[in-house]
Amino acid sequence: MSYAEIAVDAPVGAAKVFSYSVPDGMELLPGQTVRVPFGPRTLQGIVLELTDHPQVEETRPVSALETPEPLLGTHQLALARWIGSYYICPLFDAAAPMLPPGARQRERVLLSMSDSYTATAPNADADSSAGPASTAGDSAADDAIETIANSPGQLKVLRSVRRHGSIELEWLVSQYGEEVRSSAMSLARRGVLNRKTRSPAFISGPGPAFAEYFRARADAFDEITRWLCEHGKRAPRQSELIMRLAESGLRVSAVDARREFGGSVVSALLKKGFMSVEREPLDRGPLAGREFPSFAHVTLSDGQRAAVADVVASVRDTRRHPRTILVRGVTGSGKTEIYLSAVEECLALGKQAVVMVPEISLTPQTIERFASRFPSQVAVLHSRMTPAQRRDQWWAVKTGLCPVVIGSRSAVFAPVSSLGLIVLDEEHEWTYKQNDAAPRYHARDVAIELGRISGAVTLLGSASPDVGSHYRASREIYGLHVLPERLTRMDEGGGTVAPLPDVEIVDMRRELREGNAGMFSRSLASELASCLNAGRQAILFLNRRGAASQVQCRHCGYSVKCQGCDVPLTYHRPLRRLVCHYCGRRRRVPKSCPQCLSFRLGFYGIGTQTVADTVASQFPNARALRWDSDTARNLSAYEDILNSFRNGEADILIGTQMLSKGLHLPSVTFVGVVLADVGLSIPDFRAGERTFQLLCQVAGRAGRGREPGKVVFQTYQPENYAIQAAAEQDYMRFYDVEMRHRREHGNPPHSRLIRLVTRHTNMATAETQAQNLAEALRTAQLESDLTGIEVIGPTPPYPPRLRGRFRWHIVIRGRNPRALIDLVSIPKDWSVDVDPVALT
């Protein structure tokens, strides 16, 4: 008998697999998905390997085979094992991002009150009476439920089921945390709840995508003529459609025919056999029907040629080291041309390439460059596409139709079979880290490991690389190429050296002392006016959206906060609402203070809406566009705003960090940073690095054309080393100071971090759980005599409450914090974040 080692879609230990026997007649291959029994349930699993010797003596057989062919290749299975082990997550979770969209099919568990308990705890919604009687009924039902529940978790489950009648278990888990799963199952075992399961149908491949057309049948012409003479007047709509087709001899779209004449008319003519149906494959991908401008091939500079040659040599020779190459080039130094040339050489060698960008907003302009250079060879993968588009694009890559893949962080999991090159543009960006669900991976580290497994080269590019990446390059773990000069006129066939923009730091404290209490300093207002008078475009940057960052009572100091998150609500003027930027909750602006009833409510802080209002007041003739997540809610809106600004329909672009990355806008000659301090006071050791990177990127938007650029940083901390270095675009000056701070405090890259986070609706329970785990960790460290590891906390992060759940976290810091994690059993309701990019 043969056996299969299978990763099961269940909340099990990290990288754990289970042994199952393979029934006679069933042929399994690694990479296939199956259905397997798991306790009382039947769950989805991924076959990792076949073996003659199971891990346990007694095994259960595989229930069913889902896919006739493997969905995951050998290198993907190896990568999944590494992700599960490194990021301490279930192996199925590690492999799931590599499956085709829609392939992960979880069993749906529906809960409802059993008949024997319905009378005891009736559904409040079933009582249609209004007024006090209804309230009394609710109270009686709540009292009855409290006698049934044995724990606070069971009480939450019963109240939710009573309120909704029937509810999905996963919805309860998403609302109240993993701890309610055991509460719900306990109630089901007691017979209090009915438990029904539904197994969704598996989507094995791309659905049919065809365009239908109708054409009059030439072999039925006599019959059509006869029918028109005898019955045409009694069916005028049918007559009109068939005559149009017969007279023109052309075909008509099925969609247009049904829209104009109605479905019943079309059905009648098809039933009579008067029309034939023609079907053509329909390209529903994100690039379908789009035309891209052509870009001239440019003559590369010496630095660019050296970088491309290094990459290509490594693609050719898989034994050549290092396999990871970092390109540090100032903004506008031509890093994109290196990517394009490297991909072109990679394709010439018969290899495939994956190109990643940190945000979906950057995908359109990246697509534009690559689709122009490699027509009909580019696939796009990101979360803003429709499910059908994602599925089609995945299979286009899987079958080799598209050798170039462009996307956000999840593109690293594209089913590329002959991978030669992985490109990460703006490799320093924190958006490459998956934070909200397992696996909490970093796309840069996954790409490097994928390159090691598959023999591909990983090319990292940035004007302000991650400190850890540059540290590894300095130790020759990565290759390094530096592009110190900005190039201009790249689209005209050759690059000429252009100066970096001139940056001025304005001390806003001095502005206040000299009587200027406005948002814009005198220098910023003057430079903006000069830019507009010259017919050029400008960017105003503030990494904070909304009109006011908080509403506060001037009498008692009360700040209006989110009910679910312990943060002040931000005022958004167009909505006339207060909005939580963490959970999205909205509420009206109170007329008086909820605490002291005073009417002295004040609006404090600024955002992009305030900047737009100030521009309208001080520069009434200027046309301004706002570009933040309030105005650009989807990819289409991103493109519309960007194209409007590119086409000269606006003079000033006002926005947050989404406009700081990768934009090539030659007509922008001035950039004003309204407040450079945003982010510096965040309780995170990376705050200075993030500020430097952001300021470098936004300053790099100015002067990318023929005209020189000018930048103004407004700040209350002009002496800060990150702001000073960003003004000079001097990465090494920043790096030296930052590395000194990191070394003094033992922070990465001189150590590694693992962050453990617990969440609970009860503050005391969350704190107790955190204290208990911290004590267990310190005890294990003492007993095992582990040195060089520090257990920090537990403490509440910021914000301490998020989406109605209180948070506590523990940070383990050291050369090998994993050694301590392996000694302690981490409860399932804790999230484990290896190499966190944020500690808030």
Side-chain angles (χ1 to χ4, degrees):
M1 180 175 288
S2 62
Y3 301 89
E5 298 298 316
I6 295 176
V8 180
D9 191 5
V12 297
K16 191 172 183 180
V17 297
F18 298 87
S19 298
Y20 288 87
S21 59
V22 181
D24 293 339
M26 180 182 289
E27 295 185 5
L28 287 186
L29 292 172
Q32 289 178 305
T33 58
V34 293
R35 290 280 172 183
V36 293
F38 194 82
R41 299 177 290 168
T42 300
L43 301 180
Q44 191 177 33
I46 298 173
V47 180
L48 297 177
E49 64 176 319
L50 301 176
T51 180
D52 295 330
H53 306 287
Q55 301 178 61
V56 293
E57 292 184 4
E58 295 186 9
T59 60
R60 301 167 75 179
V62 174
S63 300
L65 178 62
E66 283 189 335
T67 53
E69 296 180 358
L71 294 177
L72 303 183
T74 304
H75 68 285
Q76 290 176 304
L77 294 176
L79 182 64
R81 286 185 180 274
W82 179 85
I83 291 172
S85 173
Y86 187 83
Y87 290 106
I88 315 177
C89 69
L91 199 44
F92 192 97
D93 288 344
M98 306 178 201
L99 294 173
R104 186 175 190 173
Q105 298 290 327
R106 283 179 165 166
E107 187 179 60
R108 295 176 59 200
V109 178
L110 298 176
L111 302 173
S112 60
M113 296 295 293
S114 65
D115 295 339
S116 57
Y117 283 89
T118 301
T120 307
N123 186 346
D125 293 339
D127 185 0
S128 60
S129 60
S134 177
T135 303
D138 289 352
S139 178
D142 285 338
D143 292 342
I145 280 177
E146 289 183 8
T147 64
I148 300 171
N150 293 334
S151 68
Q154 291 187 8
L155 187 60
K156 293 173 188 173
V157 172
L158 290 172
R159 283 176 174 169
S160 296
V161 172
R162 182 182 68 83
R163 189 180 307 117
H164 298 283
S166 178
I167 199 167
E168 285 195 22
L169 175 59
E170 292 303 324
W171 183 88
L172 287 171
V173 172
S174 69
Q175 294 296 308
Y176 302 113
E178 190 65 36
E179 61 268 16
V180 302
R181 189 185 300 275
S182 58
S183 299
M185 293 299 99
S186 177
L187 290 168
R189 285 193 295 270
R190 288 170 51 195
V192 178
L193 296 179
N194 288 325
R195 178 179 177 274
K196 295 182 180 180
T197 60
R198 297 178 183 175
S199 297
F202 178 78
I203 303 174
S204 59
F210 295 97
E212 284 191 347
Y213 298 91
F214 298 139
R215 192 188 296 273
R217 290 181 56 184
D219 57 349
F221 185 77
D222 294 339
E223 190 176 350
I224 292 172
T225 303
R226 190 181 311 112
W227 179 84
L228 287 170
C229 294
E230 296 177 359
H231 307 286
K233 291 183 179 180
R234 289 184 299 207
R237 301 291 290 166
Q238 294 182 38
S239 301
E240 185 180 354
L241 175 56
I242 196 62
M243 287 177 66
R244 179 185 300 181
L245 292 174
E247 289 176 357
S248 65
L250 301 176
R251 65 183 187 178
V252 64
S253 163
V255 174
D256 293 340
R258 289 189 174 95
R259 184 185 297 116
E260 183 175 353
F261 296 95
S264 59
V265 170
V266 169
S267 298
L269 291 176
L270 288 172
K271 188 175 181 180
K272 292 180 176 69
F274 291 172
M275 296 191 305
S276 61
V277 180
E278 298 177 358
R279 304 178 78 195
E280 290 184 358
L282 177 64
D283 183 0
R284 56 188 176 189
L287 308 185
R290 294 183 58 181
E291 295 183 1
F292 298 95
S294 60
F295 295 92
H297 283 247
V298 302
T299 302
L300 300 182
S301 67
D302 291 342
Q304 289 173 315
R305 281 197 299 272
V308 173
D310 193 8
V311 172
V312 173
S314 297
V315 173
R316 290 178 182 273
D317 183 2
T318 57
R319 294 171 297 179
R320 193 170 185 264
H321 288 280
R323 307 297 298 167
T324 302
I325 298 170
L326 173 65
V327 175
R328 172 166 65 84
V330 298
T331 54
S333 58
K335 294 184 291 294
T336 302
E337 281 300 326
I338 293 177
Y339 307 154
L340 288 164
S341 298
V343 170
E344 188 171 38
E345 295 288 346
C346 182
L347 297 184
L349 294 171
K351 300 285 188 177
Q352 296 165 288
V354 173
V355 180
M356 287 186 281
V357 292
E359 290 191 24
I360 295 171
S361 60
L362 298 180
T363 308
Q365 57 189 348
T366 306
I367 290 171
E368 189 175 271
R369 295 300 301 271
F370 280 84
S372 172
R373 180 75 69 93
F374 311 110
S376 304
Q377 298 183 75
V378 174
V380 181
L381 292 174
H382 60 72
S383 60
R384 298 280 177 88
M385 295 159 57
T386 67
Q389 285 178 332
R390 291 201 303 270
R391 196 159 56 246
D392 287 355
Q393 295 288 281
W394 191 94
W395 283 100
V397 177
K398 175 77 171 174
T399 56
L401 293 176
C402 296
V404 181
V405 180
I406 296 175
S408 48
R409 62 172 177 254
S410 59
V412 74
F413 300 119
V416 179
S417 58
S418 182
L419 186 60
L421 177 64
I422 310 169
V423 177
L424 275 87
D425 189 26
E426 310 292 1
E427 65 87 31
H428 65 275
E429 285 292 338
W430 64 269
T431 48
Y432 280 123
K433 184 75 159 74
Q434 165 85 354
N435 289 310
D436 52 359
R440 291 176 172 82
Y441 68 94
H442 198 298
R444 179 183 59 234
D445 298 326
V446 172
I448 292 170
E449 178 63 19
L450 176 59
R452 187 193 67 79
I453 293 171
S454 63
V457 176
T458 305
L459 176 58
L460 311 178
S462 175
S464 50
D466 179 84
V467 166
S469 296
H470 203 273
Y471 175 72
R472 293 178 184 89
S474 68
R475 301 181 67 190
E476 298 185 354
I477 299 172
Y478 298 169
L480 176 64
H481 290 270
V482 178
L483 305 177
E485 296 176 331
R486 169 178 280 193
L487 303 177
T488 189
R489 302 189 213 171
M490 294 294 295
D491 296 337
E492 297 179 10
T496 58
V497 176
L500 289 168
D502 178 40
V503 182
E504 177 186 355
I505 299 176
V506 175
D507 186 349
M508 295 302 286
R509 300 170 300 184
R510 181 177 179 180
E511 290 286 315
L512 282 172
R513 288 195 298 268
E514 295 179 357
N516 180 17
M519 180 186 298
F520 295 160
S521 63
R522 290 164 296 183
S523 179
L524 189 149
S526 173
E527 292 291 345
L528 181 57
S530 298
C531 173
L532 297 175
N533 291 335
R536 302 297 180 184
Q537 291 180 306
I539 286 177
L540 294 179
F541 171 79
L542 176 63
N543 202 25
R544 184 183 290 158
R545 58 193 174 100
S549 53
Q550 66 174 320
V551 175
Q552 191 172 27
C553 177
R554 298 176 182 175
H555 180 72
C556 70
Y558 174 83
S559 179
V560 184
K561 294 187 176 181
C562 173
Q563 293 179 351
C565 309
D566 199 9
V567 294
L569 294 171
T570 301
Y571 178 57
H572 287 245
R573 187 173 291 111
L575 299 173
R576 290 188 293 182
R577 292 289 187 276
L578 296 172
V579 180
C580 176
H581 287 177
Y582 285 88
C583 70
R585 187 189 299 264
R586 300 183 182 187
R587 63 165 292 180
R588 295 178 183 273
V589 181
K591 295 181 179 179
S592 61
C593 174
Q595 182 166 283
C596 72
L597 303 181
S598 168
F599 291 97
R600 300 180 62 195
L601 291 177
F603 295 80
Y604 299 96
I606 60 173
T608 50
Q609 293 176 13
T610 325
V611 176
D613 292 342
T614 305
V615 167
S617 173
Q618 295 189 19
F619 302 92
N621 296 324
R623 301 165 299 167
L625 275 176
R626 218 175 80 235
W627 198 19
D628 53 33
S629 56
D630 292 328
T631 59
R633 295 184 175 275
N634 53 53
L635 196 57
S636 175
Y638 283 126
E639 293 190 64
D640 290 344
I641 294 172
L642 180 58
N643 289 334
S644 294
F645 191 67
R646 275 178 171 174
N647 295 334
E649 297 171 18
D651 306 307
I652 304 173
L653 187 61
I654 303 166
T656 55
Q657 63 180 5
M658 64 176 59
L659 59 72
S660 67
K661 307 177 186 73
L663 294 179
H664 180 64
L665 302 168
S667 59
V668 171
T669 58
F670 175 69
V671 169
V673 178
V674 178
L675 187 59
D677 306 346
V678 174
L680 271 178
S681 58
I682 292 175
D684 194 311
F685 70 89
R686 292 188 178 92
E689 181 181 16
R690 294 234 175 100
T691 298
F692 171 79
Q693 290 165 342
L694 197 55
L695 293 178
C696 278
Q697 292 293 327
V698 72
R701 300 316 105 202
R704 297 173 73 97
R706 293 185 177 88
E707 300 296 325
K710 173 72 178 181
V711 180
V712 170
F713 289 171
Q714 296 188 161
T715 175
Y716 290 92
Q717 303 178 57
E719 68 285 348
N720 185 276
Y721 72 100
I723 294 176
Q724 290 281 346
E728 298 174 9
Q729 295 275 304
D730 189 343
Y731 178 81
M732 292 308 299
R733 175 182 175 181
F734 162 78
Y735 176 80
D736 291 339
V737 176
E738 183 69 16
M739 285 297 291
R740 187 169 66 248
H741 293 333
R742 301 280 182 98
R743 194 178 301 110
E744 289 172 356
H745 296 93
N747 284 323
H750 299 290
S751 65
R752 289 184 54 217
L753 303 179
I754 296 180
R755 183 184 184 220
L756 309 174
V757 183
T758 186
R759 301 168 179 83
H760 203 281
T761 53
N762 184 278
M763 180 173 62
T765 301
E767 182 177 2
T768 300
Q769 290 177 348
Q771 296 288 358
N772 291 341
L773 182 56
E775 184 178 349
L777 289 166
R778 291 190 173 98
T779 301
Q781 181 184 14
L782 185 64
E783 292 176 349
S784 301
D785 195 25
L786 285 176
T787 59
I789 296 178
E790 184 180 5
V791 179
I792 304 171
T795 57
Y798 181 81
R801 187 163 59 120
L802 195 61
R803 297 178 179 90
R805 300 170 71 189
F806 292 92
R807 306 190 301 156
W808 282 73
H809 71 167
I810 301 168
V811 177
I812 305 173
R813 180 172 63 188
R815 289 286 185 180
N816 183 21
R818 179 65 183 269
L820 179 56
I821 289 288
D822 290 340
L823 297 176
V824 178
S825 177
I826 307 298
K828 291 181 180 179
D829 54 350
W830 281 75
S831 64
V832 181
D833 191 358
V834 178
D835 301 333
V837 297
L839 298 178
T840 56

